[in-house]
């Protein structure tokens, strides 16, 4: 076959493929031209009979022919074999990687479900806050370290990335009359250097219950004990340690029983049997005054959990940065 003849044969083959009306015709043309005993492989086998000086050009032309016929065949749609598979309804479906929920989303959603059973609704607030909601109304004095430029991301005099979800307490009370029973999951920001346990951006779940009847520290403890058991499993409960927060009085730090050793002491809890997870307390009367509530007529409690902290102990995650890297090898392990 000369080069000119090859071009004619090629044009004819492409016309045939273009005219093929069904999968069977496409398959027949595949066998005829590029199949093992097809005419193109036959030409390649016959290359040795082509005069040496013509061989490179001829070889190139044959390869181009094969490529064009294959492209034309595949552009006709499914091959006959694929069509047969598709028509067989008993074949398993194609697999799509659906992905899994991020551990932080899981902790937030599970928490919302647990607190919903206790009558808490989910409130929301902006990540850009003003000084009043983030500090002043929360009874935080100007000399408090969290007000400092080196601790907080400020944008001008009265605009900052919230350092805590506590300002949502203020928003919820300003917008509603008691009783108020809310949780608020969300992002918070501090000027922290990132290491295995710190991140400048992290998440908290705020909680607030205020009522006209008397609310006590015992109510707070029972709610957190229920949350601990539902979130971490049976045998996990809470203990309170005295602490200070400007917006609660008294204030406590909240520990969960270590869910790994159930309080016996192990490496995870540094042999103490307890793991710190939240801050909490009874809402300070001065906070009530800032939102126009009568401190003599209402009482309530508040709490704030670290979401990363709960995710890390619940799933045994050793480095907070893994939560933000979006590495599917890590996320898949928690599926
Ligand atoms: N906002 C506090 C923090 O970021 C956590 C906290 C402590 C929240 C006590 C509260 C609370 O609602 O009552 O460290």
């Amino acid at each position: 076959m000369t080069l000119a003849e090859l071009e004619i044969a090629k044009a004819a083959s492409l016309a045939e493929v273009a005219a093929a009306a069904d999968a069977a015709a496409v398959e027949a043309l595949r066998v005829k031209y590029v199949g093992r005993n097809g005419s193109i492989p036959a030409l390649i086998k016959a290359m040795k009979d082509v005069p040496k000086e013509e061989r490179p050009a001829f070889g190139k032309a044959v390869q181009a022919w094969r490529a064009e016929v294959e492209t034309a065949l595949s552009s006709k749609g499914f091959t006959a074999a694929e069509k047969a598979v598709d028509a067989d309804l008993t074949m398993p479906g194609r697999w799509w990687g659906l992905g899994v929920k991020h551990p932080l989303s899981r902790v937030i959603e599970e928490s919302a479900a647990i607190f919903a059973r206790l009558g808490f609704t989910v409130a929301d607030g902006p990540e850009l806050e003003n000084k009043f909601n983030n500090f002043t109304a929360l009874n935080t004095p100007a000399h408090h370290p969290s007000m400092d430029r080196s601790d907080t991301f400020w944008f001008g005099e009265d605009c900052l990335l919230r350092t805590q979800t506590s300002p949502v307490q203020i928003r919820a009370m300003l917008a509603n009359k008691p009783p108020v029973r809310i949780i608020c999951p969300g992002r918070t920001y501090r000027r922290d250097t990132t290491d295995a346990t710190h991140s400048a951006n992290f998440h908290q779940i705020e909680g607030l219950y205020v009522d006209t009847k008397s609310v006590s520290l015992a109510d707070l403890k029972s709610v957190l004990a229920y949350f601990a058991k539902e979130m971490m499993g049976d045998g996990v409960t809470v203990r309170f340690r005295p602490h200070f927060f400007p917006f609660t009085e008294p204030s406590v730090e909240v520990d969960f029983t270590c869910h790994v050793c159930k309080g016996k002491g192990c490496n995870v809890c540094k042999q103490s049997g307890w793991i710190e997870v939240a801050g909490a307390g009874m809402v300070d009367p001065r906070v009530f005054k800032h939102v126009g509530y009568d401190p003599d007529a209402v009482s309530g409690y508040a709490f704030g959990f670290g979401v990363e902290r709960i995710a890390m102990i619940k799933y045994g995650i050793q480095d907070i940065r893994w939560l933000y890297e979006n590495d599917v090898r890590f996320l898949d392990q928690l599926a």
Side-chain angles (χ1 to χ4, degrees):
M1 190 185 267
T2 65
L3 265 178
E5 285 168 339
L6 186 148
E7 289 304 325
I8 292 166
K10 176 167 132 182
S13 68
L14 291 173
E16 269 184 276
V17 174
D22 55 27
V26 171
E27 178 60 13
L29 289 169
R30 197 188 63 74
V31 172
K32 177 175 172 188
Y33 288 106
V34 293
R36 199 162 352 131
N37 299 313
S39 41
I40 297 177
L43 272 183
I44 294 170
K45 269 179 226 150
M47 284 283 279
K48 58 181 183 313
D49 302 328
V50 177
K52 217 172 172 187
E53 57 286 0
E54 287 171 26
R55 234 179 257 164
F58 195 79
K60 236 184 184 172
V62 175
Q63 295 300 354
W65 181 10
R66 173 151 73 182
E68 278 180 58
V69 168
E70 278 174 349
T71 311
L73 286 168
S74 61
S75 74
K76 293 297 277 191
F78 289 136
T79 64
E82 279 172 329
K83 275 234 162 92
V85 166
D86 256 29
D88 180 355
L89 298 179
T90 65
M91 290 292 279
R94 283 164 204 262
W95 187 82
W96 296 93
L98 269 186
V100 295
K101 276 219 172 109
H102 193 278
L104 296 178
S105 305
R106 279 160 70 182
V107 168
I108 288 171
E109 285 174 20
E110 244 180 80
S111 303
I114 295 168
F115 283 112
R117 279 180 240 139
L118 299 169
F120 287 78
T121 52
V122 174
D124 201 9
E127 290 169 29
L128 271 179
E129 262 298 1
N130 59 42
K131 213 171 172 175
F132 178 80
N133 289 336
N134 197 87
F135 293 123
T136 317
L138 290 164
N139 195 35
T140 306
H143 56 78
H144 194 277
S146 61
M147 282 255 212
D148 201 282
R149 300 213 157 251
S150 62
D151 283 305
T152 296
F153 295 100
W154 287 93
F155 298 87
E157 270 313 300
D158 194 29
C159 186
L160 61 136
L161 285 171
R162 66 180 177 195
T163 60
Q164 48 192 355
T165 43
S166 304
V168 184
Q169 291 185 31
I170 303 304
R171 289 177 175 273
M173 288 191 279
L174 286 173
N176 299 285
K177 295 222 163 332
V180 172
R181 199 189 259 119
I182 53 125
I183 63 159
C184 169
R187 274 177 197 273
T188 52
Y189 302 83
R190 289 180 201 173
R191 282 190 193 264
D192 258 334
T193 6
T194 305
D195 62 22
T197 54
H198 293 86
S199 163
N201 165 214
F202 58 104
H203 299 73
Q204 291 186 331
I205 298 176
E206 194 76 14
L208 174 74
Y209 172 45
V210 179
D211 211 330
T212 45
K213 60 186 186 209
S214 121
V215 180
S216 76
L217 206 60
D219 297 328
L220 169 63
K221 198 164 188 183
S222 68
V223 160
L224 295 183
Y226 176 74
F227 176 71
K229 179 167 129 320
E230 293 294 295
M231 182 54 104
M232 306 306 291
D234 282 338
V236 175
T237 185
V238 294
R239 80 171 175 187
F240 284 175
R241 280 179 292 111
H243 197 71
F244 173 79
F245 294 106
F247 36 91
T248 40
E249 182 59 39
S251 301
V252 295
E253 278 199 311
V254 183
D255 296 342
F256 280 1
T257 327
C258 175
H259 61 298
V260 176
C261 63
K262 299 281 189 270
K264 285 195 204 76
C266 68
N267 285 341
V268 172
C269 58
K270 301 196 189 89
Q271 309 306 328
S272 74
W274 297 94
I275 295 177
E276 185 193 322
V277 289
M282 303 306 295
V283 180
D284 193 298
R286 285 178 216 201
V287 175
F288 287 142
K289 279 196 196 143
H290 276 297
V291 297
Y293 282 9
D294 175 359
D296 294 325
V298 297
S299 58
Y301 58 70
F303 54 85
F305 282 98
V307 178
E308 278 79 357
R309 185 128 194 111
I310 293 187
M312 286 171 80
I313 58 180
K314 187 173 163 88
Y315 302 114
I317 300 164
Q318 282 128 35
D319 193 317
I320 199 170
R321 289 167 289 199
W322 298 347
L323 290 166
Y324 311 119
E325 283 170 352
N326 272 345
D327 187 333
V328 285
R329 291 169 304 177
F330 163 71
L331 296 169
D332 272 348
Q333 289 177 49
L334 305 171

